[in-house]
Amino acid sequence: MLVNKKIILGVCGGIAAYKAIELLRLLTKAGADVHIIMTRAAQEFVAPLTFQTLSSNPVHTELFNLIAEREIGHISLADRADLFMVVPATANIIGKIAAGIADDMLTTTVMATKAPVLFAPAMNVNMFTNPIYRENEQKLRALGYLFEAPVSGSLACGWEGEGKLASPEVIFEAAVAALTKKDLTGRTILVTAGPTREEIDPVRYISNHSSGKMGYALARAARRRGAQVVLVTGPTALATPVGVTVVPVMSAMEMQEAVMAHVAVCDVVIKAAAVADYRPATRNSTKIKKKADWATIELVRNPDILAGLGGMDYGLKHRPFLVGFAAETDALTENAAKKLSEKKLDMIVANDVSQVDAGFNVDTNRAVLLFKDGGSTLCELMSKEQLAGTILDQIIARLAES
Ligand code: CTP
């Protein structure tokens, strides 16, 4: 995700400095080349060696260290950065940068960079609400500096309130978003994900092997590219994507209700969910006890949510771009093409769920994308994150044409 991205991570002196280690781990795991600058105060909280070991790069601390200056130099470091992050950002560093003070390695490099700068502030609640701090933050925001706001909670200083550093996952997401082209700004995208669960009684249900990974990857990718995202999700074990409106549902009927409640404002609907085609005709209110050696459950058809959207009369409203998924174990393209036309879709992602490295419950996928106009695109084995990017590229290209 961040391969070939050079990120400068400035660490300031605050108790939250240790959380920058976790952020560094997330950034390097995603492939970023991270260069750390620590203020003098930061080194009182965490040893530079920790950052050096985890980033595999020397840590910069002194502006006037001539040996380091000859080798890298704060200006060349600033020039080569794709993104500059300051985590945690103290009231002091934000005040200094807002006032144009450049008196150490960190402030000088921030001043010299042309890269986007993202601050994640952390401080005492009274400092955070102090009008001087507020004015400094507003000034920097107006100049295009990015902020990941702190959250409320119990602070290390003993106070309760706003000022707690946002979680490393949230800051990581802001970094990825800052480095992502915003080609979905102004668009609203509804994604469905995961399985549905059709209850038999309070103890049992019918479901399928969908993990939700593909739908969540699509929701995250669309959000990073600037879209407003509504994620209607069946039960999954996945972390909630940052910045996305999540609507949790259980059954196909609940999923249909949630989709219908949001579809009017959507430009695109992507139905990655594996919806159960049938539900038990009745749900027993108490646990069904075993009696005979065999048992039957009467099932009734669930509504086809996607086909419903394909056949719907949108009146004067714009019809959303409809994307389906076809989970197949045989005759992949033929079955998917049939669903594309029968459900009146604009595009369908056909995947063979019988393969071990594609489909349900794995991090990779391979697919054939089929389009209403007869076109198709073959996507060889790739991560679900990458496939999400390719699917969105295709949608964007077609939205531009419509
Ligand atoms: N879908 C839906 N509502 C259903 C069943 C499916 O919206 N009740 C959507 C899925 O979210 C997916 C597409 O239709 O985008 C195709 O789903 P899939 O399970 O592959 O096929 P089905 O249409 O259910 O047909 P079959 O099970 O016979 O293959």
Side-chain angles (χ1 to χ4, degrees):
M1 225 181 313
L2 296 178
V3 175
N4 295 328
K5 297 292 179 199
K6 203 171 282 295
I7 296 178
I8 301 180
L9 175 58
V11 184
C12 300
I15 189 67
Y18 76 93
K19 291 190 187 163
I21 298 169
E22 180 59 15
L23 173 65
L24 170 61
R25 214 185 54 81
L26 295 173
L27 294 169
T28 52
K29 206 170 138 205
D33 177 23
V34 187
H35 294 261
I36 311 287
I37 301 177
M38 297 181 80
T39 63
R40 191 161 299 182
Q43 297 165 60
E44 300 288 331
F45 289 91
V46 184
L49 188 59
T50 309
F51 285 104
Q52 182 164 311
T53 310
L54 292 172
S55 68
S56 309
N57 281 317
V59 170
H60 305 274
T61 52
E62 298 294 331
L63 179 59
F64 298 108
N65 179 342
L66 291 180
I67 296 172
E69 187 73 4
R70 257 208 319 275
E71 283 169 354
I72 297 178
H74 65 279
I75 298 298
S76 77
L77 193 58
D79 282 349
R80 289 181 296 145
D82 296 297
L83 176 67
F84 203 127
M85 305 175 73
V86 184
V87 185
T90 54
N92 180 51
I93 202 84
I94 289 166
K96 276 164 82 171
I97 294 167
I101 296 170
D103 64 350
D104 63 6
M105 186 70 177
L106 181 54
T107 47
T108 310
T109 320
V110 170
M111 198 73 85
T113 193
K114 292 233 177 263
V117 180
L118 170 67
F119 292 106
M123 62 194 76
N124 163 271
V125 58
N126 297 330
M127 291 171 87
F128 186 65
T129 51
N130 186 313
I132 299 173
Y133 171 77
R134 299 246 60 93
E135 200 178 306
N136 288 334
E137 181 181 319
Q138 270 157 28
K139 179 177 175 183
L140 290 175
R141 276 184 187 271
L143 290 169
Y145 289 82
L146 305 167
F147 279 79
E148 187 55 57
V151 293
S152 274
S154 57
L155 305 174
C157 53
W159 282 78
E160 256 319 299
E162 252 179 319
K164 203 176 160 69
L165 186 72
S167 75
E169 290 75 18
V170 168
I171 301 170
F172 171 79
E173 197 51 47
V176 177
L179 287 165
T180 307
K181 191 169 54 161
K182 295 283 175 287
D183 47 9
L184 279 171
T185 302
R187 302 287 192 181
T188 301
I189 299 192
L190 189 151
V191 180
T192 70
T196 64
R197 222 177 244 186
E198 313 297 328
E199 289 204 353
I200 299 166
D201 67 14
V203 181
R204 296 127 176 154
Y205 57 80
I206 298 170
S207 192
N208 57 62
H209 289 300
S210 170
S211 62
K213 285 181 179 174
M214 193 63 239
Y216 277 56
L218 278 158
R220 258 196 314 275
R223 172 69 199 143
R224 285 172 186 157
R225 291 168 82 151
Q228 297 277 355
V229 180
V230 179
L231 175 64
V232 176
T233 174
T236 74
L238 304 175
T240 305
V242 176
V244 162
T245 304
V246 177
V247 184
V249 296
M250 277 291 173
S251 64
M253 298 300 275
E254 281 176 28
M255 183 169 279
Q256 184 187 40
E257 200 178 310
V259 167
M260 295 315 288
H262 289 91
V263 71
V265 295
C266 292
D267 301 289
V268 180
V269 177
I270 308 177
K271 282 225 74 246
V275 185
D277 291 323
Y278 294 92
R279 66 179 183 279
T282 52
R283 176 191 180 276
N284 233 63
S285 59
T286 53
K287 186 183 173 198
I288 300 169
K289 292 290 177 190
K290 59 179 169 299
K291 288 183 194 119
D293 287 345
W294 48 265
T296 53
I297 300 169
E298 195 187 342
L299 301 175
V300 292
R301 274 285 288 273
N302 270 327
D304 189 315
I305 307 167
L306 191 53
L309 294 179
M312 203 160 101
D313 178 8
Y314 291 88
L316 293 177
K317 291 214 177 72
H318 191 70
R319 183 183 194 272
F321 189 90
L322 295 179
V323 183
F325 270 71
E328 307 295 343
T329 54
D330 57 293
L332 180 67
T333 331
E334 295 86 320
N335 283 335
K338 201 158 160 257
K339 287 175 190 174
L340 174 74
S341 80
E342 283 178 2
K343 300 192 191 207
K344 300 189 176 64
L345 308 179
D346 297 284
M347 169 178 169
I348 195 155
V349 181
N351 50 32
D352 183 345
V353 291
S354 65
Q355 298 175 35
V356 286
D357 53 4
F360 293 140
N361 252 318
V362 289
D363 292 324
T364 50
N365 212 350
R366 63 164 70 76
V368 185
L369 314 184
L370 304 177
F371 303 95
K372 190 172 64 176
D373 59 14
S376 67
T377 303
L378 180 67
C379 304
E380 296 293 357
L381 190 69
M382 58 177 90
S383 71
K384 286 186 175 172
E385 296 280 345
Q386 284 170 318
L387 182 59
T390 307
I391 293 170
L392 291 178
D393 288 344
Q394 295 290 340
I395 294 172
I396 290 165
R398 281 162 176 84
L399 280 179
E401 284 165 12
S402 66

